Amino acid sequence: MTVYFIGAGPGDPDLITVKGARLVESCPVVLYTGSLVPKEVVARAREDALVLSSEDMDLDEIIEVCEQAHKEGKDVARVQTGDLSIYSSLAETTRRLDPLGIDWKVVPGVSSFQASAAALGQELTLPETCQTIILSRASGRTPVPEKENLKSLAEHEATLCLFLSASLIRKVARELKEVYPGHWPVAVVEKASHPQQRILRGTLDTIVDQVEGAGIRATAMIIVSKVLDHNEFRDSRLYAAEFSHGFRKARQGEEIDS
Ligand code: SAH
């Protein structure tokens, strides 16, 4: 018996992995985050499966479901939004399962920052302009370690993807303006990959009014990056004619890198 922690993807039921979908189809118990994972994602569960939403459960109750399934020798599909490596409560759950001798495995999913980039049609790294992506959140009711404060993250000028922060947009813009000029580009994607997806593009000066005006408070990704309006970047070396790598020999000139 195993508890499978499955990344459900950002919302579109087609954006779960084949492996994740097969497990949802085969597990006799399916426990999904009802507040964020749409019902269609777990609609592929078998007819006799016990399908439960964890929306109103606390951690003890979630563990009880796993324990009961363990006793009955039934696999559990624990289906959670996006990918389990980011703000998922995986760690606090698995450290409770280990002492109970319950096996578990993780199946990755498409994270909402990736679905947001796709919605924007945006590569988040650009040659010689930006080669780093920072995934973080603004500190609100949930504190963020002081060394990870937004201002210090912004100093890298990396692409910044902020989860769980839409309702804190005013604070985010204020803190980032201590490092960046007001015209620094920002995009907000609400419900990426859902039918109700909305995209706002603006700057640190405009985004607060845009987000508040649209009434966006949750299920939204804030992306702050110069890549959002940068067309003056160089082509990558990956497809450059003079560059050869493991799979392709250079057509002209010498090898630059590996
Ligand atoms: N593990 C998830 C993140 C869970 S935290 C993942 O990998 O995506 C919940 C936060 O994720 C939300 O506050 C929001 O910032 C973001 N989020 C989840 N689904 C989203 C979606 N469809 N579009 C935009 N942001 C989303």
Side-chain angles (χ1 to χ4, degrees):
M1 178 275 171
T2 303
V3 177
Y4 294 97
F5 290 90
I6 300 166
D12 178 344
D14 285 347
L15 287 178
I16 189 169
T17 65
V18 173
K19 188 167 191 156
R22 286 195 181 134
L23 283 164
V24 174
E25 280 162 14
S26 65
C27 285
V29 180
V30 177
L31 181 58
Y32 71 107
T33 319
S35 49
L36 282 165
V37 175
K39 281 207 173 52
E40 302 86 77
V41 176
V42 292
R44 43 170 76 82
R46 41 191 247 209
E47 247 173 51
D48 62 344
L50 176 64
V51 181
L52 302 168
S53 162
S54 60
E55 200 170 359
D56 298 319
M57 295 185 187
D58 58 24
L59 186 56
D60 286 340
E61 289 166 312
I62 289 168
I63 300 296
E64 269 168 39
V65 172
C66 297
E67 262 193 295
Q68 186 59 34
H70 181 63
K71 274 186 205 141
E72 295 171 14
K74 291 179 175 171
D75 287 341
V76 177
R78 171 72 177 126
V79 187
Q80 292 185 245
T81 186
D83 180 68
L84 275 299
S85 64
I86 310 164
Y87 308 121
S88 72
S89 74
L90 175 71
E92 63 192 73
T93 312
T94 55
R95 77 171 171 199
R96 296 274 299 270
L97 296 180
D98 286 338
L100 297 169
I102 299 177
D103 283 341
W104 53 271
K105 286 198 176 74
V106 181
V107 178
V110 176
S111 176
S112 56
F113 87 88
Q114 296 167 305
S116 299
L120 293 165
Q122 183 71 54
E123 182 175 353
L124 298 181
T125 57
L126 288 181
E128 296 180 35
T129 297
C130 177
Q131 294 288 286
T132 303
I133 302 167
I134 295 177
L135 308 179
S136 191
R137 66 183 296 172
S139 80
R141 275 188 305 168
T142 306
V144 171
E146 175 45 35
K147 284 190 175 166
E148 298 168 33
N149 70 74
L150 266 187
K151 216 179 134 189
S152 69
L153 299 183
E155 270 153 17
H156 295 283
E157 294 195 11
T159 293
L160 204 50
C161 298
L162 299 176
F163 293 71
L164 297 157
S165 304
S167 64
L168 300 167
I169 188 71
R170 189 167 285 276
K171 181 170 183 250
V172 167
R174 191 180 60 236
E175 288 179 12
L176 291 179
K177 278 205 272 188
E178 290 177 35
V179 181
Y180 297 143
H183 59 77
W184 201 264
V186 186
V188 172
V189 183
E190 183 194 33
K191 300 202 163 157
S193 87
H194 292 244
Q196 315 91 307
Q197 170 183 295
R198 286 195 287 178
I199 294 176
L200 301 176
R201 290 175 185 272
T203 65
L204 286 176
D205 278 338
T206 65
I207 202 71
V208 177
D209 285 347
Q210 289 175 278
V211 168
E212 290 181 354
I216 295 176
R217 295 195 54 78
T219 327
M221 182 67 47
I222 303 173
I223 300 183
V224 183
S225 179
K226 55 192 168 191
V227 303
L228 293 169
D229 73 355
H230 199 98
N231 283 315
E232 297 301 311
F233 59 91
R234 291 170 59 110
D235 280 349
S236 79
R237 292 177 174 187
L238 192 57
Y239 296 109
E242 75 282 6
F243 175 54
S244 79
H245 54 67
F247 298 102
R248 191 164 57 77
K249 284 272 172 279
R251 264 178 242 138
Q252 59 188 52
E254 62 193 63
E255 196 168 330
I256 300 167
D257 209 343
S258 62

